[in-house]
Amino acid sequence: MRKESSTNAFNEKHIIDSCGMAYTVGLIGGRWKPAILCRLSNKTMRYSELNRDIEGISERMLVAQLRELENDGIVERQVYPEVPPRVEYRLTSLGETLRPVLASMSDWGNMHREPVAANMQEAETMHA
Amino acid sequence: MRKESSTNAFNEKHIIDSCGMAYTVGLIGGRWKPAILCRLSNKTMRYSELNRDIEGISERMLVAQLRELENDGIVERQVYPEVPPRVEYRLTSLGETLRPVLASMSDWGNMHREPVAANMQEAETMHA
DNA sequence: CTCATTTCTTACTTTTTTGTAAGTACCTAA
DNA sequence: TTAGGTACTTACAAAAAAGTAAGAAATGAG
């Protein structure tokens, strides 16, 4: 939970308000958001797909990050009134404007780190 | 300090190895790195300048973040053998390759958040 | 009525990041 | 000899982020 009155929270707000880069990092940063956005950048996915696809993520984290992305207007959540439930996540139109930014980050990362087998596939799909 | 054996540390490594975007975010993310990179993107600065210019940062944080950027090969540190000491920080050539990425993040951020007076100047200088 | 499936919640613990405050080293100039 | 400027360190405390484990709702199938 966040403590509105902390120096930390104050600093965060201030930086976000005075630096566009910090604002962007705030939206897409964190442990799991890149992994989520990377995937939703390519296609709509349902909750269980994301959960299976992103190795090591817990449901708590997955939901929390999706909610944040949703609240920030980057991702949208579509619920189908079925049982068992089906919920799909995709980029909003705002989220789509982020795509080139995400792609440039992804490309830079893939270019400048030691090549690891696991990335090969990802590196390709990002710019398919 | 980091606990190498934690699930958290393991997950971080794994994601960084499997997602270029996560790798990039890992390098430039965090509370103060955007503010630092934003400035060093434009010009070489000495320690005290950064310290004055980045409102609210503590010396501990400034040094820590600069060290990380240095260890990651993005920023370089030049010490002049003078008294009182003079230390300058600038982007390395690897850091320069990051500039367009940083700029696109900065631009996106400035474009998509409520315009705040403080940003006007920054938004201009970024693409001068 | 009980089970299975999917998409979450909730309460609690551990780990990581950030902040605070004080101190250090170096030389120079007064 | 003492004060001053710059660039840090260090030890400790607070806050935030992430992990763990268990549970809950809704409903159709058997």
Side-chain angles (χ1 to χ4, degrees):
Chain A
M1 211 164 286
R2 317 214 78 219
K3 202 164 181 181
E4 288 305 317
S5 60
S6 68
T7 302
N8 191 319
F10 176 80
N11 282 338
E12 183 179 17
K13 263 184 203 163
H14 179 74
I15 294 181
I16 279 177
D17 281 349
S18 64
C19 173
M21 215 172 113
Y23 176 73
T24 306
V25 167
L27 293 188
I28 69 182
R31 172 78 73 256
W32 300 104
K33 281 181 188 171
I36 294 172
L37 290 171
C38 204
R39 286 166 176 80
L40 296 184
S41 219
N42 288 323
K43 58 174 178 182
T44 295
M45 289 175 81
R46 46 189 300 198
Y47 176 84
S48 52
E49 284 184 283
L50 285 165
N51 195 208
R52 264 193 303 275
D53 213 43
I54 302 175
E55 250 183 281
I57 198 171
S58 67
E59 305 212 323
R60 179 174 123 53
M61 276 297 116
L62 179 53
V63 175
Q65 305 293 73
L66 285 169
R67 288 286 179 281
E68 284 187 22
L69 291 168
E70 201 190 344
N71 291 334
D72 290 330
I74 293 174
V75 155
E76 69 187 9
R77 176 172 178 267
Q78 185 173 9
V79 185
Y80 294 84
E82 302 173 356
V83 168
R86 178 156 64 107
V87 180
E88 287 184 351
Y89 292 92
R90 64 173 56 83
L91 294 185
T92 59
S93 56
L94 176 63
E96 309 239 342
T97 66
L98 206 46
R99 221 186 243 145
V101 181
L102 300 178
S104 83
M105 294 177 66
S106 188
D107 289 349
W108 191 93
N110 288 321
M111 187 97 69
H112 293 281
R113 74 152 134 51
E114 306 305 307
V116 177
N119 316 324
M120 299 310 183
Q121 190 220 348
E122 182 227 350
E124 283 163 30
T125 53
M126 192 75 201
H127 263 197
Chain B
M1 215 162 287
R2 315 212 80 216
K3 202 164 183 180
E4 289 303 318
S5 60
S6 69
T7 302
N8 190 321
F10 175 80
N11 282 337
E12 183 180 17
K13 264 185 203 164
H14 179 74
I15 294 180
I16 279 178
D17 281 348
S18 64
C19 173
M21 214 172 113
Y23 176 73
T24 306
V25 167
L27 293 188
I28 69 182
R31 171 80 72 257
W32 301 104
K33 281 182 191 172
I36 293 172
L37 290 171
C38 204
R39 286 166 177 79
L40 296 185
S41 217
N42 289 322
K43 56 172 179 182
T44 294
M45 288 176 82
R46 47 191 297 197
Y47 177 83
S48 55
E49 284 184 282
L50 286 165
N51 195 210
R52 263 193 304 275
D53 212 43
I54 302 175
E55 250 183 280
I57 199 172
S58 67
E59 305 212 326
R60 178 172 126 49
M61 277 297 117
L62 180 53
V63 175
Q65 307 291 74
L66 285 169
R67 288 288 178 279
E68 285 188 22
L69 291 168
E70 201 191 343
N71 290 335
D72 290 331
I74 293 174
V75 155
E76 69 187 9
R77 175 171 178 269
Q78 186 172 10
V79 185
Y80 293 85
E82 302 173 359
V83 169
R86 178 158 62 109
V87 180
E88 289 185 350
Y89 291 92
R90 64 174 56 84
L91 294 186
T92 59
S93 56
L94 176 63
E96 308 238 343
T97 67
L98 204 47
R99 219 184 243 144
V101 182
L102 300 178
S104 85
M105 296 178 64
S106 188
D107 289 349
W108 191 93
N110 289 320
M111 187 96 70
H112 294 282
R113 75 151 133 51
E114 306 305 308
V116 176
N119 315 326
M120 299 309 184
Q121 191 220 347
E122 182 226 349
E124 283 163 30
T125 54
M126 193 74 202
H127 264 196

